[in-house]
């Protein structure tokens, strides 16, 4: 049956040729490839039909001769000769039943066809034959699309402009040439990666085909390679490629491995196109992102030498491969800046690959990733951490949303949910960081769409959990894309100095106000008595230590280490929970001082004993944790703001906001001196408890975002910005239970204090 189908395919091709070549160029080339593959497949049968193989390969030859040869021969005679030779060698190998030999020739033929298309396209642009150029450009390959890498084709885009006569063919030629060479180099490196895998598995046919493709890809790049690396280097590389082809066919694995490594070394310092600063920065950001994600995915993927989350493990492999691919693109640039960094990065990606392959210890992967991130920043001499607010994140998110829809349409809602979480991670580690400073409402809206909903409409998490229809989910994703586009436009817009000043002031005011209110309340309370006033310096010492540590972290994050997303969320969460514990201790201690015995009596009778050393240390620790929590967040927000803002404007806003915070602190302290003690104490205690309640919710939320606590969403509880900001109330089971537990603990301990107080009073009356 397959034989007749192939005959029909050949007849259809000839019929189209007879009518004036109505079959597209790319379709004809694809038919040639299918005929070659059919012959290849036939050789694997126990009794291959050599006659049918000869028919298929002859049909492949006839298609080239009748449909493609004239154009290629006119534009590039040498390429035409290479294609004819590859077809001839395929026929010889097919007749001899030589599967590796046929695979080598098939790989060569396909890559040479791409080379021929490249030459015809450029020649047509030179001659102003736009239609011909567009037709032949369709016979090409693209960078392989993955969930983290979109197909981007400047050549296709510029040819549309040529058709609209908004760009001249001469100008378009430069873009087409660069795009095709860049893509070919990407495919050449990919072919070498595939060759490595085939060698490891000792697959002779696959190894031969990938060597053949590598030879054809390099043929397209040879002229440019010679201009940059020299004729001698080109000759050496051809020698290695030819030797690799012979070794693959003869299954000489040792020689093939050696020659493949020689080819890699010969390409290490070659770059087919010169990157613009923007392109370099974009690739550097992607390299940084992919490398960082290796650890993030692997950390969650394995436990005790076993894969616990298969999709996370697969993503680890994907990100490592993508990182290595981008690294190979950037290696010449890194080599020029720091040769030792380039060499070490190559070693790191190899070491990580070896660890991941055997599901090795996570502790071995993390330091390698951190080292690689440092080398990326120094070796590329660019701010790779700008990935946190780059358009690349939006691109990756949209890619993953495509994957969500594919999974939903196939009915795999579990995979859809995993991919949704992956997309949200990109948003949270990238755009949200910057939006939190400049457009918090938009950031919350997008977060709500990702999760349980916003504006009275369900979010993706709820829709996927309820397995709603693809059309419904697609509509919600369309809304999400609109908001993401809005955020991208917002972040891409140039920020003037006035906006930067206000943004900077808003950060210090927002982050400092909580600390000022808490510390001001505590100090104001202590200043009510001359005997307790002298212990204020304990709180001041804690505040000073927190400020010093925050400044140290700012310096370290800009010079020594990198604060990753997971570390940031973990530190924020733990610091908030420590603050809860200290706040609870302090408020409970103060509460007992009021109800265990009358406060004024206590002050009068216990002069010089107002605070125990333990209580003083507790107050100092409170001052430290409250201020450090806000200080740590302030460091993160200012790092983000300074990515693309005028430092002078940021500084002005910071100073202005700081002055306002100091004024507020002064007013609070002055007011506390004049206020009656009892009302002031009641307000202070209520404020501290509300803050502790808020920190409890935000602390557990931080641990959820860091991946250390599960997030079980409450569908009946909407995400409300006011509740989140004021009280730390999130619609999850874990945060709700934590806050409920805190309330019960407060009620229980304070109730017990009241009970003890009443009992003492009863006993006192009875004694009297």
């Amino acid at each position: 049956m397959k034989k007749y189908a192939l005959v029909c395919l050949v007849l259809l091709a000839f019929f189209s040729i007879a009518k004036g070549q109505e079959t597209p160029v790319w379709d004809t080339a694809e038919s040639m490839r299918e005929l070659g593959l059919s012959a290849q497949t036939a050789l694997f049968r126990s009794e291959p039909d050599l006659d049918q193989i000869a028919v298929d390969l002859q049909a492949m030859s006839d298609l080239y001769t009748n449909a493609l040869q004239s154009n290629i021969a006119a534009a590039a005679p040498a390429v035409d000769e290479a294609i004819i030779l590859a077809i001839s060698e395929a026929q010889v190998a097919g007749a001899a039943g030589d599967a590796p030999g046929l695979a080598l020739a098939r790989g060569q033929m396909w890559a040479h066809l791409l080379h021929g298309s490249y030459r015809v396209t450029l020649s047509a642009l030179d001659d102003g034959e736009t239609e011909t150029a567009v037709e032949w450009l369709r016979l090409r390959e693209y960078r392989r699309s993955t969930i983290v890498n979109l197909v981007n084709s400047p050549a296709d885009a510029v040819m549309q402009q040529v058709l609209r006569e908004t760009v001249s063919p001469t100008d378009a030629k430069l873009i087409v040439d660069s795009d095709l060479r860049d893509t070919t180099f990407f495919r050449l490196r990919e072919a070498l990666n595939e060759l490595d895998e085939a060698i490891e598995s000792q697959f002779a046919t696959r190894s031969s085909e990938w060597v053949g493709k590598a030879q054809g890809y390099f043929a397209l790049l040879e002229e440019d390679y010679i201009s940059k690396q020299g004729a001698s280097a080109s000759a050496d590389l051809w020698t290695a490629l030819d030797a690799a082809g012979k070794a693959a066919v003869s299954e000489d694995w040792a020689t093939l491995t050696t020659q493949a490594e020689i080819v890699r070394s010969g390409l290490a310092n070659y770059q087919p196109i010169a990157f613009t600063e923007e392109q370099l920065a974009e690739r550097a950001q992607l390299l940084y992102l992919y490398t960082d994600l290796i650890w993030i995915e692997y950390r969650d993927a394995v436990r005790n030498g076993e894969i616990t989350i298969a999709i996370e493990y697969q993503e680890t492999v994907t990100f490592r491969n993508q990182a290595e691919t981008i690294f190979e693109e950037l290696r010449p640039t890194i080599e020029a800046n720091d040769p030792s960094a380039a060499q070490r990065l190559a070693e790191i990606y190899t070491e990580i690959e070896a660890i991941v392959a055997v599901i090795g210890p996570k502790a071995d992967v993390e330091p390698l990733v951190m080292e690689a991130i440092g080398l990326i920043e120094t070796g590329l001499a660019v701010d790779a951490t700008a990935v946190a607010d780059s358009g690349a994140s939006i691109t990756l998110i949209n890619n993953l949303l495509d994957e969500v829809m594919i999974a939903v349409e196939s009915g795999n809602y579990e995979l859809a949910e995993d991919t949704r979480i992956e997309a949200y991670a990109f948003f949270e580690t990238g755009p949200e960081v910057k939006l939190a400073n400049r457009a918090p409402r938009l950031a919350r809206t997008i977060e709500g769409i990702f999760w349980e909903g916003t504006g009275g409409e369900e979010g993706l998490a709820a829709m996927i959990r309820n397995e709603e229809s693809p059309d419904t989910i697609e509509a919600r994703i369309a809304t999400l894309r609109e908001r993401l586009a809005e955020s991208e436009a917002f972040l891409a817009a140039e920020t003037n100095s006035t906006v930067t000043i206000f943004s900077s002031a808003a950060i210090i005011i927002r982050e400092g106000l909580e600390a000022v209110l808490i510390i001001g309340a505590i100090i104001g309370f202590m200043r009510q008595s001359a005997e307790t006033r002298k212990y204020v310096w304990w709180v001041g010492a804690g505040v000073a230590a927190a400020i010093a540590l925050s400044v140290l972290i700012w310096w370290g994050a800009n010079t020594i280490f990198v604060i990753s997303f997971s570390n940031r969320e973990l530190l924020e969460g733990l610091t908030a929970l420590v603050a809860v514990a200290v706040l609870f201790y302090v408020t409970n201690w103060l509460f007992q001082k009021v109800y265990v015995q009358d406060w004024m009596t206590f002050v009068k009778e216990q002069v010089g004993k107002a605070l125990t050393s333990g209580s003083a240390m507790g107050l100092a620790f409170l001052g430290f944790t409250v201020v450090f929590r806000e200080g740590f967040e302030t460091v993160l927000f200012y790092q983000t703001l300074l990515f693309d803002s005028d430092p002078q404007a940021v500084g002005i806003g910071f100073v202005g906001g700081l002055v306002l915070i100091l004024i507020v602190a002064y007013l609070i302290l002055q007011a506390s001196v004049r206020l009656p003690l009892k009302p002031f104490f009641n307000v202070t205690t209520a404020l501290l408890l509300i803050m502790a309640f808020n920190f409890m919710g935000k602390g557990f939320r931080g641990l959820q975002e860091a991946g250390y606590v599960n997030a079980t969403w409450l569908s009946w509880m909407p995400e409300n910005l006011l509740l989140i900001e004021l009280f730390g109330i999130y619609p999850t089971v874990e945060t709700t239970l934590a806050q409920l537990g805190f309330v019960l603990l407060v009620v229980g301990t304070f109730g017990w204090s009241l009970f003890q107080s009443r009992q003492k009073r009863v006993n006192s009356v009875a004694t009297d």
Side-chain angles (χ1 to χ4, degrees):
M1 191 70 181
K2 187 174 182 181
K3 182 188 299 185
Y4 292 120
L6 288 171
V7 171
C8 290
L9 176 66
V10 174
L11 291 175
L12 178 61
F14 277 116
F15 179 71
S16 299
I17 294 168
K19 290 180 63 177
Q21 194 177 322
E22 294 178 1
T23 302
V25 167
W26 68 268
D27 199 5
T28 302
E30 189 62 37
S31 296
M32 291 177 61
R33 182 153 66 166
E34 289 179 5
L35 287 164
L37 180 60
S38 175
Q40 184 82 65
T41 303
L43 283 178
F44 290 117
R45 299 190 182 113
S46 57
E47 296 182 4
D49 187 344
L50 297 182
D51 291 337
Q52 181 58 45
I53 291 173
V55 169
D56 290 341
L57 296 177
Q58 184 58 48
M60 181 179 73
S61 176
D62 292 341
L63 277 176
Y64 176 70
T65 302
N66 292 289
L68 305 179
Q69 185 177 19
S70 59
N71 292 83
I72 294 177
V79 178
D80 173 51
E81 292 176 5
I83 294 172
I84 292 174
L85 178 61
I87 292 174
S88 175
E89 290 181 346
Q91 290 175 316
V92 171
D98 179 5
L102 176 56
L104 178 69
R106 284 178 51 245
Q108 292 169 338
M109 181 200 71
W110 175 249
H112 288 317
L113 282 174
L114 298 174
H115 188 185
S117 174
Y118 165 77
R119 295 294 181 183
V120 173
T121 300
L122 297 186
S123 178
L125 288 172
D126 281 333
D127 297 336
E129 298 175 359
T130 304
E131 296 292 342
T132 300
V134 170
E135 170 68 12
W136 278 84
L137 181 59
R138 296 176 67 191
L139 173 51
R140 60 164 299 182
E141 289 180 327
Y142 295 89
R143 286 170 168 268
R144 191 175 301 280
S145 177
T146 70
I147 64 170
V148 292
N149 184 42
L150 278 178
V151 170
N152 182 27
S153 175
D156 292 349
V158 78
M159 288 308 299
Q160 293 303 313
Q161 292 177 300
V162 172
L163 289 173
R164 294 194 298 269
E165 298 183 353
T166 58
V167 173
S168 70
T170 301
D171 291 339
K173 179 183 176 182
L174 297 175
I175 297 175
V176 172
D177 188 14
S178 295
D179 183 23
L180 293 180
R181 281 189 287 111
D182 183 43
T183 299
T184 301
F185 190 43
F186 176 90
R187 286 290 186 163
L188 172 55
R189 293 194 310 273
E190 185 181 57
L192 293 174
N193 291 338
E194 295 286 351
L195 176 59
D196 287 343
E197 293 184 12
I199 292 173
E200 184 177 354
S201 302
Q202 295 192 353
F203 291 154
T205 302
R206 284 183 57 194
S207 297
S208 299
E209 183 177 358
W210 285 115
V211 171
K213 287 183 177 181
Q215 292 174 345
Y217 291 143
F218 181 69
L220 189 153
L221 298 167
E222 182 180 15
E223 183 178 336
D224 183 69
Y225 184 88
I226 290 174
S227 70
K228 295 172 180 176
Q229 304 293 317
S232 177
S234 177
D236 291 342
L237 206 149
W238 268 122
T239 299
L241 283 170
D242 289 339
K246 295 175 182 176
V249 172
S250 63
E251 302 185 39
D252 183 351
W253 304 114
T255 300
L256 181 55
T257 301
T258 300
Q259 298 306 317
E261 184 55 40
I262 292 173
V263 174
R264 281 189 181 278
S265 298
L267 295 171
N269 296 320
Y270 168 65
Q271 184 56 255
I273 62 172
F275 294 133
T276 64
E277 289 186 9
E278 181 179 353
Q279 290 172 326
L280 181 61
E282 180 184 357
R283 282 167 169 78
Q285 291 162 8
L286 286 174
L287 180 59
Y288 178 95
L289 179 62
Y290 294 152
T291 303
D292 193 36
L293 285 170
I294 293 171
W295 163 241
I296 292 174
E297 298 297 330
Y298 194 66
R299 178 196 65 201
D300 300 330
V302 302
R303 183 177 300 167
N304 299 325
E306 295 183 357
I307 298 174
T308 54
I309 306 177
I311 189 172
E312 302 287 354
Y313 180 79
Q314 186 56 49
E315 289 302 322
T316 301
V317 175
T318 298
F319 288 133
R320 194 219 69 87
N321 293 342
Q322 289 294 310
E324 187 173 53
T325 298
I326 297 295
F327 164 67
E328 289 175 354
E329 278 192 298
L330 295 173
R331 184 166 185 167
T333 303
I334 301 174
E335 192 86 35
N337 293 330
D338 188 348
S340 62
Q343 178 61 34
R344 180 54 187 153
L345 274 170
E347 294 170 354
I348 287 174
Y349 290 124
T350 300
E351 290 174 21
I352 292 175
E353 181 180 29
I355 295 171
V356 171
V358 298
I359 319 176
K362 292 189 285 188
D364 293 346
V365 173
E366 184 179 16
L368 290 173
V369 169
M370 294 302 105
E371 182 184 358
I373 286 174
L375 292 172
I376 290 167
E377 293 180 321
T378 58
L380 289 170
V382 295
D383 184 8
T385 58
V387 69
D389 68 323
S390 69
S393 295
I394 303 295
T395 298
L396 300 179
I397 292 168
N398 279 309
N399 255 353
L400 288 165
L401 292 176
D402 289 338
E403 296 295 321
V404 170
M405 278 310 306
I406 292 173
V408 168
E409 288 170 351
S410 65
N412 192 341
Y413 285 88
E414 182 178 354
L415 176 59
E417 172 62 8
D418 290 337
T419 310
R420 180 198 66 81
I421 292 174
E422 189 85 36
Y424 176 70
F426 276 111
F427 171 71
E428 197 166 36
T429 56
E432 188 182 35
V433 177
K434 192 168 184 179
L435 288 173
N437 293 328
R438 300 183 176 179
R441 186 179 300 277
L442 178 58
R444 288 294 184 189
T445 298
I446 294 174
E447 185 176 24
I449 297 174
F450 263 118
W451 290 95
E452 294 303 304
T454 183
E457 297 183 2
E458 270 191 322
L460 285 177
M463 288 181 169
I464 292 172
R465 182 174 61 250
N466 297 331
E467 297 189 2
E468 297 189 16
S469 68
D471 289 342
T472 303
I473 294 177
E474 185 174 24
R476 199 66 177 126
I477 286 178
T479 302
L480 177 56
R481 291 187 197 276
E482 291 174 3
R483 298 289 82 78
L484 288 170
E486 184 180 343
S487 71
E488 185 175 19
F490 182 88
L491 296 178
E494 184 175 352
T495 306
N496 60 46
S497 297
T498 302
V499 174
T500 299
I501 290 172
F502 279 105
S503 297
S504 177
I507 292 173
I508 187 64
I509 292 171
R510 183 177 68 244
E511 299 303 318
L513 192 57
E514 283 187 3
V516 165
L517 290 175
I518 297 175
I519 300 302
I522 291 293
I523 292 177
F525 178 80
M526 297 175 67
R527 289 177 61 185
Q528 296 291 330
S529 166
E531 294 303 319
T532 57
R533 191 178 302 129
K534 62 184 179 181
Y535 292 97
V536 168
W537 75 270
W538 282 93
V539 179
V543 170
I547 293 174
L549 183 57
S550 298
V551 172
L552 182 63
I553 288 176
W554 168 266
W555 174 80
N558 286 281
T559 57
I560 299 176
F561 54 83
V562 176
I563 301 174
S564 69
F565 166 72
S566 58
N567 289 337
R568 180 193 75 188
E569 298 296 339
L570 178 61
L571 285 172
E572 285 183 356
L574 291 177
T575 304
L577 294 178
V578 170
V580 170
V582 179
L583 277 169
F584 175 76
Y585 167 76
V586 171
T587 53
N588 195 53
W589 179 82
L590 294 174
F591 188 84
Q592 288 185 35
K593 290 304 178 186
V594 172
Y595 290 100
V596 172
Q597 48 189 310
D598 181 79
W599 173 259
M600 297 306 295
T601 303
F602 175 80
V603 171
K604 292 177 181 178
E605 295 180 355
Q606 304 294 328
V607 175
K609 300 179 181 179
L611 295 173
T612 65
S613 59
S615 298
M617 286 298 295
L619 291 171
F621 195 45
L622 171 67
F624 174 82
T625 54
V626 169
V627 174
F628 178 69
R629 178 183 181 276
E630 307 303 335
F632 181 70
E633 289 187 353
T634 301
V635 167
L636 297 175
F637 285 135
Y638 273 108
Q639 272 193 315
T640 303
L641 186 61
L642 284 168
F643 280 152
D644 61 351
S645 299
D646 178 15
Q648 184 177 0
V650 173
I652 293 172
F654 175 80
V655 172
L658 185 60
V659 169
L660 183 58
I661 287 295
L662 292 175
I663 292 173
V664 171
Y666 174 78
L667 293 175
I668 290 175
L669 293 177
Q670 285 299 106
S672 69
V673 173
R674 295 191 295 270
L675 284 174
L677 178 62
K678 188 112 179 178
F680 180 80
F681 171 79
N682 291 336
V683 172
T684 298
T685 303
L687 176 64
L688 296 180
L689 289 175
I690 291 172
M691 289 294 183
F693 182 81
N694 182 310
F695 288 171
M696 179 64 79
K698 289 184 176 179
F700 267 83
R701 180 60 178 155
L703 297 182
Q704 287 177 331
E705 292 176 341
Y708 289 91
V709 174
N710 292 330
T712 307
W713 290 88
L714 297 171
S715 58
W716 53 268
M717 182 188 295
E719 283 192 310
N720 184 283
L721 179 60
L722 186 62
L723 291 177
I724 289 172
E725 294 300 326
L726 291 182
F727 303 109
I729 295 176
Y730 294 88
T732 74
V733 172
E734 292 75 15
T735 55
T736 301
L737 288 178
Q739 290 180 311
L740 179 61
F742 175 76
V743 170
L744 293 175
L745 182 63
V746 169
V747 171
T749 55
F750 280 39
W752 176 250
S753 296
L754 283 172
F755 174 75
Q756 286 185 317
S757 176
R758 290 174 180 174
Q759 284 295 108
K760 287 184 178 181
R761 289 179 182 177
V762 170
N763 294 336
S764 177
V765 171
T767 302
D768 293 340

